[in-house]
Amino acid sequence: MNALMKTYAARRARLIEQMQAKGGGIAIIPTAPEVMRNRDADYPYRHDSYFYYLSGFTEPEAVIVLVAGKNNQSILFCRDKNLEREIWDGYRYGPEAAREAFGFDAAFPIDALHAEMPKLMADAPALFFALGSDAKLDAQVQQWLNAVRMQSRAGVTAPAAMHDVHVLLDEMRLIKDAEEIAVMKRAAAISVEAHRRAMKICRPGLREYHLEAELLHEFRRQGSQFPAYGSIVATGANACVLHYRASDAEIRDGDLVLIDAGCELDGYASDITRTFPANGRFSGPQKALYEIVLASQAAAIAETAPGKRFTDGHDAAVRVLAQGMLDTGLLDRKKVGTLDEVIAQGAYRQFYMHRTGHWLGMDVHDVGEYREASADSGERPWRKLQPGMVLTVEPGIYVRPAEGVPEQFWNIGIRIEDDALVTATGCDIITSDAPKTVADIEALMRQ
Ligand code: GLY
Ligand code: MN
Ligand code: MN
């Protein structure tokens, strides 16, 4: 077993420890199904994040079973060797080689799952399973449970409790370990390069998909397997559509281009947004709004540190954005009142309608509770940041044409997004090499 495989084995051991603390039982963690795209062509395969977190194993048709009992055991079910299929689809480990390489105690062919599970579940006090994630597996688990219950006259007991195994894993995944941080930094560095490349190549007359192609080229050139999410390349008014995808709009002189794109590397996401002028020079109104968003991001980053609450960054960003909206006349003081009133009544939401960040990890909107667990029934406070958490900081301003909104700002959409790793003393912006001051962007685009 190499060092990385030891990390996966240690994660399984930590999960088993937590299962033991709840009285023991058996956990079932499947990988993702293969999905057909059309007729016999399937979507590129992407493993399940929880499954990968515990195994590093990327083949489809696999299930991890963990036994927390008198003897703890970690078991892998995976595709059997099949020379005929391997000629068409490529190498598969098969149970024996997979057990060895990935450090499991035992491994079986996936076809044996149905026969083995009732045996493994017999006398287990609880089942640790994420019901509702996969209807087919849900139905199988019910069958296995019933098969165990049928043996009651033989003195066998079926699991009497069910725990959502994702709840335990979400907490683990929220705090990134050294291996995860190393991969996330590499993913971030690739995405930084991709953004720089798109900025450098951009000129009026190109289309959005030309910039998307540059992003994809850089991702793949550096070994990233996929984009972490559909790349947004939005020019002009398209930047005000929050979930716009790169399409075929022409990039016009005088417009801004908003790119929200990040690669996935070895199962980990990065998530960067930059907004820059198509022709390399910000106009006056573009610059005015850009500086507000940039200042709001700096305010949010200053609140991204251990002990701060998840929403402190958002609140700080909103304050700067709202003040900027009043100063520029985007919001009319006569109508909306003071800064505090704008914040209390949410008038800023006309131009800033999303949150300032989210957890980032294997999934771009990563798992993990945003509020503290608390026993009483009152509103749970937002969670405090801890070293090892990774989150995005992504304020923006989006101005749709509307009566009373100064026309010079119409159709400007700006977002600036970086990825922050919470450290012992503050945070490390792992995407900071993508230029974001007006001067740095204009200098890069002049090259
Ligand atoms: N790209 C997705 C997000 O920024 O949340
Ligand atoms: Mn993003
Ligand atoms: Mn994001």
Side-chain angles (χ1 to χ4, degrees):
M1 239 200 310
N2 67 30
L4 198 53
M5 295 310 145
K6 287 201 177 108
T7 299
Y8 298 115
R11 290 179 192 155
R12 294 196 293 270
R14 270 176 61 211
L15 179 57
I16 288 175
E17 251 171 56
Q18 296 179 66
M19 292 163 62
Q20 288 287 15
K22 289 186 177 294
I26 179 163
I28 307 171
I29 301 118
T31 195
E34 293 171 289
V35 184
M36 282 300 162
R37 182 174 182 278
N38 55 314
R39 196 162 161 85
D40 60 352
D42 45 17
Y43 281 104
Y45 183 70
R46 165 59 157 77
H47 55 258
D48 174 77
S49 297
Y50 294 102
F51 176 91
Y52 181 78
Y53 182 73
L54 294 172
S55 66
F57 191 66
T58 55
E59 287 184 20
E61 297 189 275
V63 177
I64 294 168
V65 176
L66 301 178
V67 182
K70 277 196 228 53
N71 297 309
N72 295 336
Q73 246 201 323
S74 116
I75 305 167
L76 177 68
F77 289 84
C78 67
R79 296 185 307 192
D80 223 340
K81 291 296 285 177
N82 180 333
L83 291 181
E84 171 68 15
R85 285 316 317 163
E86 290 182 54
I87 288 170
W88 290 90
D89 301 330
Y91 178 76
R92 358 176 124 177
Y93 276 89
E96 194 38 45
R99 188 195 63 73
E100 175 89 27
F102 295 87
F104 283 83
D105 301 315
F108 297 96
I110 189 71
D111 294 338
L113 188 67
H114 203 60
E116 292 299 320
M117 283 312 296
K119 292 187 235 164
L120 287 164
M121 278 160 61
D123 292 329
L127 205 54
F128 293 78
F129 177 64
L131 194 68
S133 299
D134 176 341
K136 206 169 127 210
L137 188 60
D138 288 357
Q140 282 180 316
V141 169
Q142 286 187 31
Q143 281 182 26
W144 299 334
L145 268 174
N146 285 329
V148 183
R149 287 171 185 149
M150 293 288 281
Q151 299 173 52
S152 65
R153 269 176 292 160
V156 174
T157 48
M162 174 106 88
H163 303 286
D164 185 349
V165 71
H166 285 179
V167 172
L168 301 177
L169 287 167
D170 289 351
E171 271 312 287
M172 292 171 69
R173 284 176 54 183
L174 184 55
I175 310 290
K176 274 68 183 174
D177 60 35
E179 282 78 9
E180 296 183 286
I181 290 169
V183 181
M184 290 190 76
K185 285 185 172 173
R186 285 207 303 280
I190 295 171
S191 298
V192 162
E193 285 305 311
H195 277 262
R196 294 177 67 94
R197 186 183 178 101
M199 264 186 216
K200 275 199 257 187
I201 277 164
C202 184
R203 57 185 156 74
L206 293 181
R207 291 182 183 270
E208 291 166 341
Y209 56 72
H210 289 121
L211 299 191
E212 182 188 24
E214 297 299 329
L215 299 165
L216 295 175
H217 177 96
E218 194 62 30
F219 291 170
R220 202 69 184 109
R221 194 180 78 77
Q222 299 208 42
S224 142
Q225 293 84 0
F226 312 97
Y229 52 91
S231 305
I232 297 172
V233 180
T235 187
N238 295 338
C240 296
V241 180
L242 296 178
H243 288 164
Y244 186 83
R245 287 293 182 84
S247 183
D248 58 1
E250 184 179 335
I251 296 169
R252 289 174 318 173
D253 201 357
D255 278 350
L256 288 176
V257 180
L258 181 155
I259 297 186
D260 182 346
C263 73
E264 177 177 306
L265 179 72
D266 298 343
Y268 285 81
S270 53
D271 185 7
I272 303 179
T273 307
R274 289 293 182 264
T275 310
F276 54 90
N279 62 15
R281 296 274 303 172
F282 284 88
S283 73
Q286 289 167 351
K287 188 170 167 205
L289 297 191
Y290 190 88
E291 295 289 12
I292 295 166
V293 177
L294 190 61
S296 76
Q297 201 212 24
I301 289 171
E303 295 296 317
T304 305
K308 300 281 190 184
R309 297 217 179 257
F310 172 72
T311 42
D312 289 349
H314 177 70
D315 295 344
V318 161
R319 233 182 147 73
V320 175
L321 291 170
Q323 182 65 58
M325 291 171 196
L326 289 169
D327 294 346
T328 52
L330 274 180
L331 289 175
D332 183 349
R333 278 176 214 279
K334 290 201 283 294
K335 289 196 190 123
V336 297
T338 64
L339 174 62
D340 286 333
E341 285 165 333
V342 167
I343 293 170
Q345 273 142 44
Y348 65 86
R349 289 204 191 97
Q350 183 180 354
F351 307 109
Y352 183 49
M353 56 299 279
H354 60 76
R355 286 235 154 234
T356 305
H358 50 83
W359 306 133
L360 181 71
M362 289 188 281
D363 299 319
V364 65
H365 297 157
D366 207 32
V367 297
E369 285 284 345
Y370 285 91
R371 288 182 186 270
E372 280 177 8
S374 78
D376 61 41
S377 58
E379 197 185 41
R380 294 183 298 148
W382 292 98
R383 184 153 203 163
K384 284 186 180 163
L385 300 180
Q386 287 168 243
M389 291 176 169
V390 181
L391 64 160
T392 64
V393 187
E394 51 176 309
I397 287 184
Y398 314 90
V399 187
R400 285 176 173 266
E403 210 184 297
V405 175
E407 210 168 325
Q408 57 173 344
F409 297 125
W410 285 12
N411 295 320
I412 292 179
I414 296 166
R415 178 165 64 257
I416 306 172
E417 173 173 32
D418 281 294
D419 303 345
L421 163 67
V422 181
T423 61
T425 52
C427 72
D428 178 7
I429 301 299
I430 62 177
T431 47
S432 62
D433 287 340
K436 65 179 170 186
T437 65
V438 165
D440 286 350
I441 289 173
E442 290 185 348
L444 181 73
M445 294 185 76
R446 265 196 304 275
Q447 278 176 23

